[in-house]
Amino acid sequence: MSLPEHSQAIFATAIFLLTYAVIVSEKVHRTICAFLGAAIVCLTGIMTPERAVHAIDWNTIGLLTGMMIIVGITRETGVFEYMAIRAAKLAKGQPLAILASLATVTAITSAFLDNVTAVLLIVPVTFAIARKLEVSPLPFLIAEILASNIGGTATLIGDPPNIMIGSATGLGFMDFVINLTPVIILVHVITIFFFQLLYRKQLRVSPEIRNRIFEFDERAELKDIPLLRKCLFVLGVVIFGFLIHQYVHLESSVIALSGAALLLLLIRTEPEHPLHAVEWPVIFFFVGLFVVVGALEVTGVIEAMAKFSLAVFKGVILPTGMFIMWFSAIASAFVDNIPFVATMIPLIKDMGRLAGMGTMDMNFLWWCLSLGACLGGNGTIIGASANVVVVGMAEKRGLPIAFVSYMKIAFPLMLMSIIISTGYMLVWYVLEPVEAIVSVFALAILVMLILNFFMRRVIAKEDRLSATKA
């Protein structure tokens, strides 16, 4: 069966919109939606088998698969639970300090692994800590959701949208670190400050209760020390590989898959169990999605959208980038950011090709897309996969998180992060990238000093009021 050429574009658009709508509705599993959409565009002749295979970004698939194997084996050692408990002890049982510590551990873990894995590992420990302190785990959970998406924005491998952008553009691990990490640090610090301000009264406990934190034995969480040594060795090699991969002309997927192969060799076990760590529904979701979006490319729909966008913005980079960032943020708050970014990548590519943009101009647009799509996912509980995972884990423990209750806290903080990112990208565009990064680090230090000053004033004022009432 093959459709007439003049109607293929209309049909491809209809299939894409229908697939997207069913994914957003969550009535059918998103992997099934994507696979069914891919099957239809192939059955109707819009995509030949050769075109379908070509449309799949195998670098993204390889990178995801390799990292899933490495992380899946590493999580069995208990090292992430060890880090969470150790962070709580370093905070000396102070709930607000523990909130900041756990959120920071989540952000760092998300940057080097992935945000879903980070929350899966940190959330169970969070419930245990909150139970010991006799406080609600809700502030900790929301902080960890936001931190996972913020931290994941900082690197190539932290969030699937960044993996897709890096694979499609050739931007390497260090490109993401150099250009995005400075503003992400600033966003994380300010976000934690607002949490401290918002929950300062709810998260106060007596010294006796604080001392309960020291009853945890973080060493007991380390289940397999020899395996941990092997995992840390391989993780170190893989991260080093990511640091240099663009200079030695190796794809990031090659680094990840080579690391996974090395770890499988070192642990000398049957591969069936480690391969269970691969989230195959996620992998096949990406495969189907790439084929559906590829149908829009081959039928000329993406190019037509790019021409329309160029007509609206007249090829001026700054307003185009700002629109991409804000549109991506608002859209990603209400729909899954993975299919959104999969659609935006070929659109931005075509815009750059038609407008004859240089590398620096295109990079500006890619950073705007990354910041908007990754940070925008914090806006609602359905904005990113990590959000949905945490909400599900909370519901199983009898703590439902309502859509509106979460949004009241998270959406304003998401908008704040996009405002900060907008300022950063404006500086990045006006100045040289190195000057922009120095400016942001200087601003981050200034902001931390100011926030620290105001936090101390607020706490001192509340202590005086409490003493007066007493």
Side-chain angles (χ1 to χ4, degrees):
M1 176 183 172
S2 181
L3 291 172
E5 190 172 336
H6 65 275
S7 61
Q8 286 187 354
I10 298 172
F11 194 78
T13 304
I15 293 300
F16 170 79
L17 293 175
L18 184 60
T19 302
Y20 210 112
V22 179
I23 289 173
V24 171
S25 73
E26 298 184 331
K27 299 294 183 184
V28 181
H29 195 283
R30 63 180 186 173
T31 302
I32 298 173
C33 297
F35 238 54
L36 184 60
I40 293 173
V41 295
C42 290
L43 288 171
T44 53
I46 296 174
M47 295 289 281
T48 62
E50 292 78 13
R51 283 177 171 176
V53 171
H54 182 72
I56 298 168
D57 188 339
W58 293 107
N59 187 53
T60 295
I61 300 299
L63 178 55
L64 284 169
T65 304
M67 290 307 297
M68 284 176 181
I69 293 172
I70 295 171
V71 171
I73 297 172
T74 305
R75 68 190 296 181
E76 295 179 5
T77 66
V79 65
F80 304 109
E81 291 84 351
Y82 172 88
M83 290 168 57
I85 294 173
R86 190 65 185 158
K89 284 189 173 182
L90 290 173
K92 297 181 179 179
Q94 293 280 1
L96 286 174
I98 291 174
L99 183 147
S101 299
L102 291 178
T104 302
V105 169
T106 304
I108 294 170
T109 306
S110 298
F112 291 100
L113 302 178
D114 69 84
N115 47 13
V116 173
T117 298
V119 296
L120 281 171
L121 297 167
I122 302 299
V123 166
V125 181
T126 301
F127 275 102
I129 290 172
R131 207 163 36 244
K132 281 282 186 185
L133 294 174
E134 297 180 7
V135 296
S136 169
L138 188 62
F140 299 90
L141 298 180
I142 297 176
E144 286 161 10
I145 290 173
L146 268 63
S148 69
N149 291 314
I150 291 169
T153 313
T155 67
L156 168 70
I157 59 175
D159 213 359
N162 281 3
I163 294 174
M164 297 162 70
I165 291 169
S167 179
T169 62
L171 291 167
F173 188 89
M174 288 306 297
D175 291 320
F176 280 85
V177 170
I178 291 170
N179 289 284
L180 296 187
T181 299
V183 69
I184 290 306
I185 292 173
L186 182 59
V187 168
H188 178 70
V189 168
I190 295 177
T191 301
I192 294 303
F193 166 76
F194 276 104
F195 269 96
Q196 303 269 314
L197 209 57
L198 187 62
Y199 292 108
R200 65 187 184 279
K201 293 182 179 179
Q202 297 178 36
L203 297 179
R204 285 190 174 182
V205 297
S206 66
E208 292 79 14
I209 293 177
R210 289 203 298 267
N211 288 333
R212 293 178 184 174
I213 289 298
F214 296 98
E215 296 174 8
F216 286 106
D217 182 8
E218 65 270 28
R219 292 181 181 275
E221 298 295 333
L222 298 175
K223 303 175 181 67
D224 191 334
I225 299 298
L227 177 61
L228 175 60
R229 292 196 185 101
K230 294 172 183 176
C231 291
L232 292 178
F233 169 72
V234 171
L235 275 171
V237 171
V238 169
I239 290 172
F240 177 73
F242 285 141
L243 296 178
I244 65 168
H245 77 99
Q246 63 196 109
Y247 308 111
V248 295
H249 307 294
L250 284 174
E251 293 286 0
S252 53
S253 59
V254 175
I255 302 296
L257 289 170
S258 299
L262 175 60
L263 186 54
L264 288 170
L265 177 65
L266 290 176
I267 64 175
R268 296 181 180 276
T269 187
E270 292 297 319
E272 286 82 0
H273 179 66
L275 290 177
H276 281 307
V278 179
E279 297 177 40
W280 294 111
V282 174
I283 299 298
F284 283 101
F285 168 68
F286 272 98
V287 170
L289 189 64
F290 284 135
V291 175
V292 173
V293 174
L296 296 181
E297 289 190 74
V298 300
T299 56
V301 174
I302 295 290
E303 184 172 349
M305 292 167 64
K307 288 178 178 176
F308 174 77
S309 300
L310 285 175
V312 172
F313 295 105
K314 304 186 185 305
V316 182
I317 298 299
L318 195 57
T320 304
M322 293 300 101
F323 173 78
I324 288 172
M325 182 188 296
W326 280 90
F327 178 63
S328 300
I330 301 301
S332 295
F334 295 96
V335 301
D336 195 314
N337 55 13
I338 294 173
F340 176 82
V341 170
T343 312
M344 290 296 293
I345 286 172
L347 175 62
I348 294 173
K349 274 187 170 182
D350 273 4
M351 286 173 61
R353 177 177 57 81
L354 294 169
M357 296 180 188
T359 302
M360 288 297 293
D361 288 338
M362 287 301 296
N363 286 351
F364 178 76
L365 300 185
W366 295 126
W367 302 140
C368 287
L369 175 63
S370 174
L371 289 168
C374 295
L375 295 177
N378 275 332
T380 68
I381 58 176
I382 61 171
S385 300
N387 310 20
V388 178
V389 168
V390 174
V391 170
M393 295 173 76
E395 285 177 351
K396 287 180 181 178
R397 290 168 172 81
L399 184 71
I401 301 175
F403 187 95
V404 174
S405 299
Y406 173 87
M407 191 173 174
K408 284 179 181 177
I409 299 167
F411 200 83
L413 290 174
M414 183 274 287
L415 291 178
M416 182 253 333
S417 70
I418 298 301
I419 290 170
I420 294 171
S421 299
T422 299
Y424 170 71
M425 291 311 299
L426 289 173
V427 172
W428 192 97
Y429 182 77
V430 173
L431 303 176
E432 292 295 322
V434 174
E435 294 172 340
I437 291 164
V438 171
S439 301
V440 170
F441 270 125
L443 180 61
I445 293 170
L446 179 62
V447 167
M448 283 188 280
L449 291 173
I450 294 172
L451 294 183
N452 183 57
F453 171 76
F454 278 108
M455 195 68 186
R456 288 178 181 274
R457 290 285 299 272
V458 168
I459 293 172
K461 184 178 179 181
E462 287 185 353
D463 289 342
R464 285 196 301 270
L465 288 173
S466 299
T468 304
K469 290 177 181 178

